[in-house]
Amino acid sequence: GENVEQHPSTLSVQEGDSAVIKCTYSDSASNYFPWYKQELGKRPQLIIDIRSNVGEKKDQRIAVTLNKTAKHFSLHITETQPEDSAVYFCAALNTGTASKLTFGTGTRLQVTL
Amino acid sequence: GAGVSQSPRYKVAKRGQDVALRCDPISGHVSLFWYQQALGQGPEFLTYFQNEAQLDKSGLPSDRFFAERPEGSVSTLKIQRTQQEDSAVYLCASSLLLGVRKNYEQYFGPGTRLTVT
């Protein structure tokens, strides 16, 4: 089955700096890669996703890049703000044969003033 | 519109008790998923329904876990004879039919935090 690894497990940045979180996946058939933000005690919220037919997608301060050959994808947050502090999860899905999202282990992002 | 809702939000059970966790998906969402999230970990897949049909239950950890969605809307996850290792947050997610209009987004509920003592 699919295996998703995520790094780093914790990340501390100063307000205004950029943050990058990286994930690798094992199943080359995976073709949908969402990112979720989870604040303490809250539900995971989808913040951005990318499909395998594109290499990059951007939405305001967040962007995701995908390298299918290397089987890795990354989340980039620019101009970080304190409200960006949360746990971020990457996930992978093979839309052709599977229904379930396979998640990474999460990155706790702390944005300090 | 309302998002995915789950009840109860918190449940404390003594070891050996049975529990039932409820999920109300977004109206019109055909697909429904259950995930288990241990402390400090990412959600792990338990089972998936399309309407009332349970199409994948490969993630259920033991035969003590049972899920149903008899009318294709509300779903219940039941855990029999709870054990301490069952302590986790149980998340429900719903989605428009996978693949329709190429929509794969899963929307999560707030979860039920189960503590087995």
Side-chain angles (χ1 to χ4, degrees):
Chain A
E2 175 65 276
N3 182 53
V4 176
E5 295 192 354
Q6 183 172 347
H7 300 280
S9 56
T10 60
L11 179 59
S12 182
V13 300
Q14 284 199 321
E15 183 180 6
D17 287 351
S18 296
V20 180
I21 302 170
K22 299 182 179 183
C23 289
T24 60
Y25 60 99
S26 61
D27 185 354
S28 57
S30 288
N31 58 352
Y32 173 68
F33 307 93
W35 285 88
Y36 285 85
K37 175 183 179 182
Q38 188 174 31
E39 297 179 49
L40 189 63
K42 301 287 181 64
R43 71 188 73 199
Q45 298 237 339
L46 179 70
I47 55 171
I48 195 167
D49 57 14
I50 191 168
R51 300 176 191 187
S52 59
N53 57 345
V54 298
E56 184 172 0
K57 183 177 178 180
K58 190 172 181 180
D59 183 3
Q60 299 183 333
R61 295 187 297 109
I62 60 172
V64 57
T65 58
L66 171 66
N67 183 328
K68 285 179 60 179
T69 303
K71 290 190 285 188
H72 68 69
F73 56 112
S74 300
L75 178 72
H76 304 252
I77 306 174
T78 58
E79 300 171 24
T80 53
Q81 300 168 3
E83 52 265 37
D84 295 330
S85 296
V87 179
Y88 291 81
F89 293 98
C90 61
L93 171 68
N94 174 354
T95 63
T97 62
S99 55
K100 58 189 179 185
L101 288 170
T102 301
F103 283 85
T105 50
T107 296
R108 180 173 299 279
L109 173 65
Q110 175 111 28
V111 179
T112 57
L113 297 173
Chain B
V4 178
S5 61
Q6 292 186 245
S7 60
R9 292 293 314 279
Y10 304 91
K11 177 70 178 177
V12 179
K14 291 188 177 178
R15 189 165 58 91
Q17 283 184 331
D18 298 348
V19 298
L21 313 179
R22 176 187 169 109
C23 172
D24 284 82
I26 294 172
S27 178
H29 278 196
V30 172
S31 301
L32 185 146
F33 307 82
W34 285 97
Y35 292 86
Q36 181 190 60
Q37 187 174 26
L39 191 63
Q41 299 295 314
E44 292 200 358
F45 172 81
L46 294 176
T47 187
Y48 158 58
F49 290 85
Q50 186 173 305
N51 293 308
E52 69 278 6
Q54 189 174 21
L55 299 186
D56 186 348
K57 55 181 180 179
S58 62
L60 296 176
S62 77
D63 59 7
R64 296 186 296 103
F65 287 70
F66 171 77
E68 60 184 6
R69 193 186 185 198
E71 297 177 0
S73 55
V74 171
S75 177
T76 303
L77 177 67
K78 297 179 179 178
I79 309 174
Q80 297 177 322
R81 304 180 304 281
T82 52
Q83 304 294 315
Q84 281 196 313
E85 60 263 28
D86 300 335
S87 296
V89 174
Y90 290 85
L91 293 165
C92 176
S94 71
S95 176
L96 289 172
L97 182 63
L98 285 180
V100 172
R101 297 187 293 277
K102 301 189 185 304
N103 189 325
Y104 307 114
E105 297 172 9
Q106 295 186 22
Y107 297 88
F108 281 83
T112 295
R113 181 177 296 277
L114 173 65
T115 303
V116 181
T117 60

